[in-house]
Amino acid sequence: MNEPRDFVTSCPIPIVDYPNVLLAHGSGGKLMHQLIEKIFRPAFQNSYLNQQHDGAVFEVEGKRLAFTTDSYVIRPIFFPGGDIGSLAVHGTVNDLAMCGAKPLFLSAGFVVEEGFPMESLWRVVQSMKQAAQAAGVEVVTGDTKVVDKGKGDGIFINTAGIGVLEHNRTIRPDQVKVGDTILLSGDIGRHGIAVMAVREGLQFDSAIESDSAAVHHLVLKLIGVGIQVHCLRDLTRGGLASALVEIARTSKTKIAIDETKVPVREDVKAACEILGLDPFYVANEGRFIAFVASKDVEHAITIMRNDPLGVSAEQIGKVEAGEAGLVTVRSQIGTSRILDMLTGEQLPRIC
Ligand code: MG
């Protein structure tokens, strides 16, 4: 008799390669995708997960809702431009926004290490409160767990979010079409550099602050005026490069980017050079790319640049006919390189 089809007898990630989980398995790069593709997706397999989107969109009594979750393990918990509390709100709100949803409700789960200063917990929670109020969402349910001293690292937060889609558009990777224009909402690399600067003790003339922000107002404005938005992706772990490669692969299209159009602040560029980082792979927490129909590009750029979160928005590339999953970048001097996901870990625990 044949074995049941879903009966797996051995771990699909060869034990000789990775007998244990590495930090890089959480990086947003190749190893994390291997984990998702070989362990998580086959186990939980369903049509929602298979869309490889920032959240699941499903219908309840004629209304479309979006549902997402994210855990926050950033170190240090306080950094220029934010902290783990505001980040836990922005990150989840943004994942809902990337589904085209208006964020409504969040849950908050806290894992706190014994000995963590009560004053720090209070500051984190106040920051969450302010971020939620500013974003127009409510934290409606939660959980607290305390682990033994030395068995955690201060505080970890998980937030899940629910939002509603108030339009009939489908926004997800498989909607990307040849001819679409790719818009970037602003300069990249600030979140990762702000956090690394604290860790490495780097001093700049003026502090580089994280771009951490909730971007749903801007996204909903674009959708609301009728811009044909086909796909959205926030540029968190793995940065712009990983987001582009993920979408090219999921949508089975080829993407061509013009490097000179990608805004990176001079101080961020300099810090990347000192730290040996490529800004294309550095995390952001208030930046996204939008794949829009080319006829709507001028209108979309005008709306973005008129919003405080999109003042430096740029048209950075196009979706072209060609090898599925390929992302090419044209440099200042006219040469072309292929973008791939990182194999190792560039910046662990950045969000
Ligand atoms: Mg995301």
Side-chain angles (χ1 to χ4, degrees):
M1 213 177 90
N2 288 338
E3 281 184 348
R5 276 179 61 209
D6 61 351
F7 184 75
V8 180
T9 51
S10 63
C11 177
I13 294 181
I15 213 125
V16 283
D17 291 346
Y18 302 108
N20 300 103
V21 174
L22 307 177
L23 265 177
H25 281 111
S27 68
K30 270 188 187 151
L31 293 191
M32 195 186 82
H33 281 84
Q34 190 187 59
L35 212 60
I36 294 171
E37 291 310 318
K38 297 202 171 169
I39 293 196
F40 296 129
R41 212 140 70 87
F44 302 121
Q45 166 130 229
N46 57 60
S47 61
Y48 301 103
L49 273 183
N50 291 344
Q51 285 164 9
Q52 299 180 54
H53 202 5
D54 275 341
V57 174
F58 53 92
E59 208 170 301
V60 180
E61 295 180 351
K63 272 216 178 308
R64 283 194 304 161
L65 301 176
F67 181 36
T68 191
T69 185
D70 214 324
S71 298
Y72 300 87
V73 300
I74 190 162
R75 183 175 59 83
I77 59 170
F78 299 104
F79 51 85
D83 57 70
I84 194 171
S86 53
L87 193 66
V89 172
H90 296 155
T92 297
V93 160
N94 289 345
D95 277 344
L96 292 171
M98 297 303 111
C99 299
K102 176 184 166 188
L104 298 175
F105 302 113
L106 298 185
S107 72
F110 297 87
V111 179
V112 190
E113 183 186 359
E114 180 185 22
F116 185 68
M118 198 61 82
E119 201 255 342
S120 299
L121 180 60
W122 182 81
R123 277 174 67 196
V124 166
V125 172
Q126 292 306 305
S127 169
M128 279 184 93
K129 173 191 157 185
Q130 279 166 19
Q133 273 173 353
V137 294
E138 285 187 288
V139 178
V140 292
T141 185
D143 176 56
T144 313
K145 296 283 191 297
V146 178
V147 297
D148 321 48
K149 197 165 183 59
K151 301 277 171 72
D153 192 6
I155 183 169
F156 301 140
I157 302 177
N158 172 276
T159 51
I162 290 183
V164 63
L165 281 78
E166 296 177 324
H167 53 81
N168 51 23
R169 205 150 286 146
T170 302
I171 295 169
R172 60 184 194 214
D174 67 359
Q175 300 297 303
V176 169
K177 290 168 183 63
V178 171
D180 279 357
T181 296
I182 302 157
L183 305 179
L184 168 62
S185 68
D187 68 299
I188 58 167
R190 269 194 285 131
H191 175 72
I193 294 303
V195 174
M196 279 313 275
V198 180
R199 280 196 212 159
E200 302 291 322
L202 290 182
Q203 299 274 340
F204 304 106
D205 290 345
S206 58
I208 295 175
E209 294 201 330
S210 167
D211 59 300
S212 181
V215 300
H216 59 298
H217 292 294
L218 176 53
V219 167
L220 296 177
K221 223 187 277 177
L222 291 172
I223 298 169
V225 299
I227 304 284
Q228 272 194 36
V229 180
H230 295 151
C231 184
L232 296 159
R233 181 63 49 102
D234 53 354
L235 312 178
T236 55
R237 262 177 314 176
L240 174 63
S242 305
L244 289 167
V245 175
E246 275 173 19
I247 291 177
R249 286 184 189 169
T250 315
S251 64
K252 301 185 175 64
T253 57
K254 173 180 183 275
I255 290 175
I257 298 295
D258 181 351
E259 190 167 28
T260 62
K261 294 284 166 56
V262 177
V264 186
R265 260 174 35 175
E266 283 307 320
D267 51 359
V268 172
K269 237 181 243 175
C272 280
E273 268 166 35
I274 294 167
L275 296 166
L277 302 173
D278 179 344
F280 268 63
Y281 292 89
V282 176
N284 311 270
E285 289 293 340
R287 293 285 180 250
F288 64 92
I289 45 173
F291 290 71
V292 303
S294 286
K295 67 174 179 62
D296 291 336
V297 167
E298 293 306 320
H299 192 189
I301 280 279
T302 306
I303 289 170
M304 288 168 103
R305 289 186 181 161
N306 278 319
D307 188 286
L309 293 175
V311 281
S312 52
E314 284 289 347
Q315 182 180 328
I316 61 163
K318 297 278 277 182
V319 179
E320 297 178 343
E323 191 185 327
L326 184 69
V327 181
T328 60
V329 181
R330 208 175 163 71
S331 75
Q332 218 152 8
I333 52 167
T335 54
S336 193
R337 65 184 162 114
I338 292 171
L339 268 197
D340 201 356
M341 283 183 195
L342 283 186
T343 309
E345 173 60 280
Q346 189 171 246
L347 299 170
R349 293 182 57 187
I350 206 73
C351 58

